[in-house]
Amino acid sequence: MNSVSTQQLAPTQEGIATAANLLQDGALVAFPTETVYGLGADATNGRAVAAIFAAKNRPSFNPLIVHVPDVEHAATLVELPETARDLAQAFWPGPLTLVLPVKPGAVNDLVTAGLPTLAIRIPAHPLAQKLLRTANRPIAAPSANPSGAISPTTAAHVMAGQNGKIAAVLDGGPCKVGLESTIIGFDPGPTLLRPGGLPQEAVEAALGHPLAAYQSDIPNAPGQLASHYAPDARVQLNVSETDGTLLGFGAMESTLNLSAAGDLTEAAANLFAYLRELDQKTDIIHIAPIPNIGLGRAINDRLRRAAAPR
Ligand code: TXA
Ligand code: MG
């Protein structure tokens, strides 16, 4: 079914220019951000956005995050109430997505799945910044994995899932953060919609109060699919000792260790790549307990979904 051959673009002026041209022409281009690789399309082009859903095999009721290079661009697409501006000031560019009231006609309706809000993000990765400025339009981009699978943190991961389905991947090496962005909504007050690469504690410190926790049975709630980020292997959590395959954390014997030093930032950056590596080797992956603080909350969220029954 391979209808296009996927170009692998180097992180050069030429690679960026080619990627930007392809996006402007309505093609799909995967690109690096500091969190994970995104599968980008022009957010104002309905055909291009529809192609994302096809490439990912994703249920179309799930709305997409739009990427722009700076707050000035963001302000042309969404309303930015004062609390949102404060968070933007503190954490953009960075691993934070804000869900805000969308301005009429700002993006194609497929991007928001008909919701009155838009999820928007300003990535810090220099290549993403250059690509967004060169393409000069809002870029819709979910994580560049097939729906339900582990998010890609290298260009090779993208190729493993999307080769032949997308026009190009811009290769920026491994992602520094390694977990998707933290998503905050404002309906009515600041609410954590998805734990991610910006620790909840950092957002709460900037706000000066705790975030509301999100609870919903609505299908367009973020990450509402229990099974997600899933390897083919079965995943068993909170295992400290086993004769089988163990993904470790901290000082312990293990097949691979997310961070022997017990550093959650290092663990987050390694998580998806190590899950993929162990998935090649075994049918059951045991995973050591991860402290539920800071980035550990987002790591545990992804691990629970990886372990959920399918
Ligand atoms: O780090 C990231 O956020 C990566 C990079 C590529 O930016 N993107 C990413 O996108 O993780 P995706 O599509 O895999 O996850 C987006 C999440 C989904 O769970 C979706 O439901 C939620 O954002 N979302 C998007 N628009 C929304 C909206 N208007 N209201 C509530 N949730 C929304
Ligand atoms: Mg995703």
Side-chain angles (χ1 to χ4, degrees), residues 200-217:
Q200 178 179 346
E201 291 89 336
V203 180
E204 292 177 336
L207 289 171
H209 61 80
L211 284 162
Y214 187 61
Q215 264 143 21
S216 175
D217 304 325

Side-chain angles (χ1 to χ4, degrees), residues 66 68 72-79 101-104 106-107 118 120 138:
V66 163
V68 291
E72 290 66 45
H73 280 84
T76 66
L77 305 178
V78 292
E79 310 289 346
V102 64
K103 294 191 170 173
V107 293
L118 177 66
I120 192 157

Side-chain angles (χ1 to χ4, degrees), residues 56 58 142-143 145 151 180 194 228-229:
K56 275 190 68 99
R58 178 182 216 180
S143 51
N145 49 289
S151 295
E180 298 82 353
R194 177 178 73 182
H228 205 70
Y229 312 100

